[in-house]
Amino acid sequence: MTPAIQSLTGRPAWKALEAHFQKVRDLHLRQLFADDQERGERFVVEGAGLYLDYSKNRITSETVSLLLQLADECGLRDKIEAMFRGDKINITENRAVLHVALRAPEGATITVDGQNVVPEVHAVLDKMATFSERVRSGVWTGHTGKRIRNVINIGIGGSDLGPVMAYEALKRYSERSMTFRFVSNVDGTDFAEAVQDLDPAETLFIVSSKTFTTLETMTNAHSARDWALKGLGGDTKAVAKHFVAVSTNAAKVSEFGIDTENMFGFWDWVGGRYSMDSAIGLSTMLAVGPDNFKALLAGFHEMDEHFRTAPFERNLPVIMGLLALWYNDFFKAETVAVLPYEQYLKRFPAYLQQLTMESNGKHVTLDGAATDYATGPIYWGEPGTNGQHSFYQLIHQGTRLIPCDFIAFVKTLNPLGSHHDILLANVFAQSEALAFGKTPEQVKAEGTPDWLAPHRVFEGNRPSNTILTQELTPNALGKLVALYEHSVFTQGAIWNIDSFDQWGVELGKVLAQRIIPELESKTEPELNHDSSTNSLIRRYRKLK
Ligand code: F6P
């Protein structure tokens, strides 16, 4: 007889957390800090060069112990080992989940179906490096012999968000004589604007798609080929010099007309949203060069090792994942704000949205039962200080609890007068204001009239993490991304969900394929949708 599967909410640690929550839910951070003068030094953890201050969270030492107990009861350690070992933990797709192999050093052994995948990973990295050097040095030229000055990555989801985010984040390290653009949306405006001022003779397209079947990417790739051929006199031989592919699907790449010699491969054990350090990072390598790309991978690897080996109480991704779960499932907070005080990280929240929400937006457990607890919170955010002048009002004085992750760097890449001190003063001030607020007494003591006082009160007790790192280098970026990847893993492991599939994106894709011919048909199509969809289609057909 197979043992009954223990439900998460039936676990002793979960039950203990429920009881504990009733005791601590109204404790104020003001009180917690007043009771423990060392709190700001005790609730910190440093690992792989990142410093995480989690003292401004609504927790006590007991909360942390119980959360760690929950992680143990849920078998987090074994689940981490299973991922690193190459077990097929993505059960609905029967796949291993091995983004950690993408940054494993040469000489490491990680096997999938009995085969060590690390040598293949390094063979692709070497091929990418050779190609990048040829393009960057001008040895690789376009069809007319002109040097490549523009690189356009065509991809969507994980084949776009990682490359865009990394390019923006590492712009300071990029080859400034070259232009890098990213086309993702099937809205023709995206492509039209990306190429409107470019010379096809100097432009290289990277068609990035794991499957090489994604509608948006293939539509954009075909438009790119038409645009390039038109500008290059129609000679189809030009495709070989102006198009390369990044994919797991060699047959489809060839069908499109790209020589598989110019294809950079990866594997089904790399999820789209975990692929920025695979060949999907080709545009990143072209922009920052192979050495910087290697430093990025080394940063990822350092955080991987920290996650795999550090005791949970000193493990950054585990602590962050458990805190996210604490707010999500006990305080019933629905979102997490990610607030980088670093302009180069302006696309980081968008990148994290796919990583976190496509991974943990699941309503059933691994065995298919509906969860009786909330899973993945909504991640969102904008760089500071801009957000302070927009949505922070709601975080400070609104009626919702929004845990925040502040991200800051000790050194700026662009020293300019006192800008950086002002920036850092703001990030420290925000977490202080959120935690401690301003009492009615303080407001009144400032001479505020009674009627106005309630409007000026800050309740405080708004939780936050602060991640402080030395400088935004390629290495630090790798660590930061891996930190969130493994925090997502920690959450998913405890919720007992498949964090590595994405069935929820399928239905819309299928319905769109059905509607496309109905919009394009010359004769009036017979429509069998609901009355709303039918009328929208009719109205569009009439007015277009
Ligand atoms: O539609 C979702 C998705 O499958 C993502 O998971 C993926 O990153 C994206 O589409 C792009 O897929 P592909 O790389 O196969 O074009």
Side-chain angles (χ1 to χ4, degrees):
M1 211 176 82
T2 46
I5 297 161
Q6 169 84 75
S7 83
L8 176 59
T9 52
R11 290 190 182 281
W14 186 279
K15 295 223 166 294
L17 277 162
E18 276 175 338
H20 170 75
F21 174 68
Q22 296 307 327
K23 281 196 289 171
V24 300
R25 57 184 296 172
D26 296 323
L27 280 183
H28 200 290
L29 282 165
R30 280 185 211 124
Q31 194 59 46
L32 292 169
F33 272 85
D35 291 349
D36 175 2
Q37 295 299 314
E38 254 98 65
R39 188 178 167 89
E41 283 117 59
R42 262 184 346 102
F43 288 99
V44 297
V45 53
E46 207 165 350
L50 302 191
Y51 177 87
L52 167 67
D53 176 347
Y54 64 102
S55 61
K56 295 191 185 91
N57 279 291
R58 292 170 65 170
I59 53 168
T60 63
S61 301
E62 196 186 347
T63 321
V64 178
S65 307
L66 290 173
L67 287 168
L68 291 170
Q69 189 187 320
L70 182 68
D72 283 340
E73 284 179 16
C74 293
L76 179 60
R77 179 66 69 199
D78 288 348
K79 290 185 178 188
I80 295 172
E81 283 307 318
M83 172 171 72
F84 277 81
R85 211 172 36 228
D87 287 7
K88 298 196 171 165
I89 60 169
N90 175 359
I91 60 154
T92 69
E93 295 179 315
N94 193 30
R95 286 177 183 165
V97 173
L98 271 181
H99 40 282
V100 293
L102 298 171
R103 50 263 191 159
E106 231 168 341
T109 303
I110 301 176
T111 52
V112 177
D113 294 330
Q115 200 180 336
N116 183 12
V117 297
V118 180
E120 288 178 66
V121 166
H122 282 271
V124 174
L125 283 171
D126 290 345
K127 183 173 171 181
M128 289 164 66
T130 306
F131 176 72
S132 298
E133 290 296 19
R134 292 185 72 202
V135 174
R136 285 162 61 90
S137 65
V139 171
W140 177 291
T141 55
H143 184 60
T144 65
K146 275 191 173 179
R147 197 178 171 140
I148 296 296
R149 302 207 175 273
N150 318 307
V151 173
I152 301 190
N153 185 75
I154 298 179
I156 197 163
S159 302
D160 167 68
L161 289 161
V164 181
M165 182 279 287
Y167 172 67
E168 291 295 339
L170 301 178
K171 207 176 219 169
R172 188 71 169 73
Y173 304 86
S174 70
E175 178 52 56
R176 300 290 189 153
S177 66
M178 293 174 74
T179 299
F180 290 86
R181 291 189 185 156
F182 301 84
V183 173
S184 54
N185 201 333
V186 75
D187 181 340
T189 299
D190 205 9
F191 180 78
E193 285 294 334
V195 297
Q196 58 86 22
D197 56 347
L198 302 186
D199 175 358
E202 299 181 335
T203 303
L204 174 76
F205 290 96
I206 306 174
V207 184
S208 296
S209 175
K210 182 174 165 179
T211 54
F212 231 72
T213 56
T214 304
L215 177 65
E216 293 89 333
T217 301
M218 297 330 294
T219 307
N220 278 318
H222 280 103
S223 297
R225 192 169 56 181
D226 293 348
W227 177 82
L229 288 181
K230 189 162 167 236
L232 292 166
D235 183 353
T236 51
K237 282 210 284 302
V239 171
K241 294 300 228 164
H242 292 271
F243 285 81
V244 298
V246 178
S247 187
T248 58
N249 192 341
K252 288 278 175 201
V253 167
S254 237
E255 207 177 283
F256 178 84
I258 297 177
D259 186 345
T260 45
E261 273 297 299
N262 297 335
M263 166 177 158
F264 300 83
F266 61 116
W267 308 271
D268 73 354
W269 40 262
V270 181
R273 53 197 176 273
Y274 296 87
S275 67
M276 60 170 277
D277 45 356
S278 69
I280 290 291
L282 184 61
S283 60
T284 315
M285 196 191 269
L286 279 161
V288 302
D291 288 346
N292 280 318
F293 197 81
K294 272 190 197 136
L296 174 80
L297 296 182
F300 270 104
H301 180 63
E302 225 181 298
M303 184 55 76
D304 294 343
E305 284 302 292
H306 170 78
F307 181 53
R308 196 172 66 82
T309 60
F312 286 169
E313 66 275 14
R314 284 191 277 116
N315 194 312
L316 271 84
V318 170
I319 297 283
M320 281 193 52
L322 291 173
L323 288 168
L325 180 136
W326 172 236
Y327 292 114
N328 188 69
D329 292 327
F330 295 90
F331 282 90
K332 313 285 185 213
E334 295 196 326
T335 82
V336 177
V338 181
L339 309 164
Y341 277 63
E342 169 55 70
Q343 188 60 22
Y344 285 126
L345 288 185
K346 66 179 183 200
R347 296 291 288 165
F348 193 61
Y351 170 77
L352 280 189
Q353 288 189 317
Q354 187 198 13
L355 178 66
T356 58
M357 299 203 272
E358 203 171 80
S359 295
N360 284 343
K362 308 291 159 67
H363 72 300
V364 294
T365 59
L366 290 173
D367 48 321
T371 65
D372 55 353
Y373 42 87
T375 60
I378 299 156
Y379 278 75
W380 60 285
E382 278 289 320
T385 57
N386 293 9
Q388 290 176 206
H389 299 272
S390 123
F391 54 79
Y392 277 39
Q393 165 65 37
L394 186 146
I395 307 180
H396 281 288
Q397 285 191 316
T399 53
R400 294 170 195 281
L401 183 73
I402 302 179
C404 300
D405 287 351
F406 291 103
I407 301 171
F409 295 86
V410 174
K411 274 177 162 304
T412 173
L413 295 170
N414 294 296
L416 188 61
S418 51
H419 282 242
H420 199 60
D421 285 342
I422 296 172
L423 179 72
L424 273 274
N426 270 280
V427 68
F428 299 148
Q430 287 301 322
S431 67
E432 190 178 24
L434 287 169
F436 302 104
K438 199 169 181 185
T439 63
E441 295 70 34
Q442 287 170 317
V443 172
K444 281 185 196 142
E446 287 171 350
T448 310
D450 281 357
W451 70 268
L452 185 57
H455 298 275
R456 302 192 60 169
V457 166
F458 287 68
E459 287 172 342
N461 220 13
R462 267 77 168 157
S464 66
N465 292 313
T466 300
I467 300 163
L468 193 60
T469 308
Q470 192 58 23
E471 196 175 19
L472 179 52
T473 57
N475 187 273
L477 181 68
K479 290 170 178 170
L480 197 57
V481 174
L483 168 64
Y484 277 94
E485 285 178 348
H486 299 320
S487 165
V488 165
F489 181 93
T490 298
Q491 295 167 54
I494 295 178
W495 288 322
N496 196 31
I497 55 179
D498 191 333
S499 299
F500 302 101
D501 61 12
Q502 55 284 318
W503 298 107
V505 302
E506 295 303 324
L507 180 58
K509 288 185 191 175
V510 172
L511 296 184
Q513 289 291 4
R514 188 175 143 201
I515 295 174
I516 293 167
E518 293 171 347
L519 301 185
E520 293 191 325
S521 145
K522 295 272 174 282
T523 54
E524 201 57 36
E526 190 190 321
L527 298 176
N528 293 311
H529 304 272
D530 58 277
S531 58
S532 159
T533 311
N534 284 346
S535 335
L536 287 166
I537 292 172
R538 277 194 205 105
R539 189 171 174 83
Y540 173 73
R541 282 184 57 89
K542 196 163 127 213
L543 299 177
K544 82 178 191 162

